[in-house]
Amino acid sequence: MTPRTPAADPAPPRTRSPRWQVLSWQLIGLALILGVWWLVTEGLGLYPPYVFPSPAQVWTEISYGLWGTGPQDGKLLSALAGSLRRVLTGYGIAVVLGALVGLLMGAWRPLRAALGAYLTGIQSVPSIAFVPFAILFFGLNERAVLFVVILEGFIPVALAVSGALLNVPPALRIAGRTLGARGLSLTTGVLLPAALPNVLTGLRTAWSFAWRALVGAELLISGVASIGEQLEVGRATANVALVLASIIIIGIIGGLFDTLLRALEGRVRRDYGLEVTP
Amino acid sequence: MSGGRSAPATTATTPQGLPLLLDGVTYRYGRTRSATAPAGLGPLSLEVRAGEFLCVVGPSGSGKSTLLSLLAGFLRPQAGVIRLGDTPVTGPDPRLTLVQQEAALFSWRTVAGNVSFGLEQRRLPRAERDGRVGDALRLVGLEGYGGRRVHELSGGQRQRVSLARALALQPRLLLLDEPFSALDDRTRTVLADELLGIWWSRKVTVVFVTHNLEEALALGQRVVALRGGEVALDAPARELDVARLRETLE
């Protein structure tokens, strides 16, 4: 038999859209926000600086807090380092635990039926509501913060992994089985790779939950160098610039990690042919 | 495509296909029945010769999918026995593979990675895997496509990969579940001709399930029509025409 050239059966074209366009619009958006902020504060002087400081005053707070060399400077940096260490530890534990529980729930439907609704219910409780329990249980220390972070990160991962496994198209399972995959090899060779895009979405959600939970818990648990503590210090000393600086740093760090995870998710989705944009 | 084929019996090589025997095979689904629920199958007895190309036709709910699931080992007969060669089929069997209606390719793997998957499960050495992948892709006209991602392929090319993935395992029985139904007429005709060429060269036993009567008559040496889970007609394709098949299935 002569092999045919499938030229008459053309493959779909590849499409790419310019990334710089998106970046340009994002920069324009940032300029707009800063412009309105400046106008309301310094430009029109609608509010006194101790109520609503200008972008320049907040920038000064950030620069002293992050890379200042004076005796009172650099506190934002140490706070940020402490918060990042805490959230990465908690998030890491949450991902491992969530993946294990999610795998079990995905492999065994009765377990998902038994736990799924309760996990979803717990997920709907604001993380701040668990802080008093964590303080009473663990004391006013890092373990209480970690508990809340792990709890908030673990549930989205477990639900995402189990849901993604259960939603693997039956045709892929059948293909795997008919090609000889069984048990663990079916799970690692077919089910988990097929579930990966949805799992990554869950990891992104989990990051968002964990980061929010961290800041919430740190607000209430004093004595540990943290970004949440900086917020509380700013409130207690009526330093609105420090409060805004902390909020901006929280937003930037949260956004950076989300962007990293989104990039990873996008890469996987493109490799899987689920998206065609770069 | 032309009319029913004669057996590839005069070739020099030994036929690779194994004979398939179904003896009193019965499968019934649960008690809850609805208009859309499958009817189940049997008792059904059927013999497929080694290297034969059998087409199975029938309306929805006639038992075609149940038959394929039983043959593929995904379901176990509640009564009767299925034999491939001398041994019974009691579960997914390395001697047979199934090509599904949708290509069901692994999008996280390249084309070659897809074709190689079943060979990896069998823990074949890398060199042998590569050789078989290359042969299978050449056979389906996708030489040079090994490094592509599957989403870069058209529907017809995907189904070719699915066929190559099955053929790389060198099955003794090839099960096909309406593999061309999602394709346009032209691609379907081209792929059907290619499938015949592969069958002819590999001497594999084929059970091809379709609801397309013209396709069944064009491809099969023999056509079995199922109705209500039972054999309504079993005859060589050359003795049949679409009108008779349609009349049988009504």
Side-chain angles (χ1 to χ4, degrees), chain A residues 1 3-4 6 8-12 14 171-172 174-182 185 189-190 193-194 270-273, chain B residues 74 92 98 100 102 104-105 107-108 117-118 121 138-139 141-142 149 151-154 156-157 160 165 169 186 190 194 197:
Chain A
M1 187 199 124
R4 282 173 193 276
D9 188 14
R14 300 182 193 194
L172 288 183
I174 291 173
R177 287 179 67 193
T178 197
L179 293 168
R182 308 269 183 282
S185 68
V190 178
R270 280 194 299 282
D271 281 352
Y272 278 49
Chain B
F74 297 143
L98 169 69
Q100 301 178 78
E102 51 180 305
L105 299 182
S107 54
W108 55 94
F117 182 85
Q121 301 304 312
R138 205 171 302 120
L139 203 58
L142 286 180
R149 290 272 169 189
H151 64 264
E152 296 171 359
L153 306 179
S154 66
Q157 288 170 337
R160 280 188 169 94
R165 192 167 64 173
L169 294 171
R186 185 163 176 270
V190 169
E194 287 187 23

Side-chain angles (χ1 to χ4, degrees), chain B residues 81-232:
Chain B
V81 66
I82 300 171
R83 280 183 180 279
L84 181 60
D86 294 330
T87 47
V89 175
T90 54
D93 191 309
R95 296 172 300 167
L96 59 88
T97 53
L98 169 69
V99 176
Q100 301 178 78
Q101 186 171 352
E102 51 180 305
L105 299 182
F106 303 143
S107 54
W108 55 94
R109 284 175 166 249
T110 60
V111 167
N114 267 274
V115 180
S116 174
F117 182 85
L119 304 172
E120 292 165 24
Q121 301 304 312
R122 294 185 184 183
R123 302 187 189 285
L124 293 185
R126 179 70 183 262
E128 188 177 349
R129 286 204 314 256
D130 291 347
R132 284 215 209 174
V133 169
D135 287 347
L137 287 177
R138 205 171 302 120
L139 203 58
V140 298
L142 286 180
E143 198 174 8
Y145 281 67
R148 297 256 186 121
R149 290 272 169 189
V150 294
H151 64 264
E152 296 171 359
L153 306 179
S154 66
Q157 288 170 337
R158 286 178 196 219
Q159 204 52 277
R160 280 188 169 94
V161 176
S162 182
L163 192 56
R165 192 167 64 173
L167 292 170
L169 294 171
Q170 299 181 347
R172 318 293 296 273
L173 170 65
L174 183 59
L175 306 172
L176 298 118
D177 185 8
E178 308 203 34
F180 309 140
S181 62
L183 305 176
D184 60 81
D185 286 345
R186 185 163 176 270
T187 309
R188 183 187 304 176
T189 306
V190 169
L191 276 178
D193 277 345
E194 287 187 23
L195 175 64
L196 281 176
I198 290 164
W199 165 68
W200 194 269
S201 63
R202 291 288 180 104
K203 320 294 181 305
V204 61
T205 308
V206 174
V207 175
F208 186 104
V209 165
T210 179
H211 67 273
N212 185 323
L213 304 183
E214 288 87 353
E215 191 172 63
L217 290 173
L219 283 173
Q221 292 176 292
R222 188 173 139 213
V223 176
V224 165
L226 293 181
R227 193 178 55 197
E230 293 177 355
V231 174

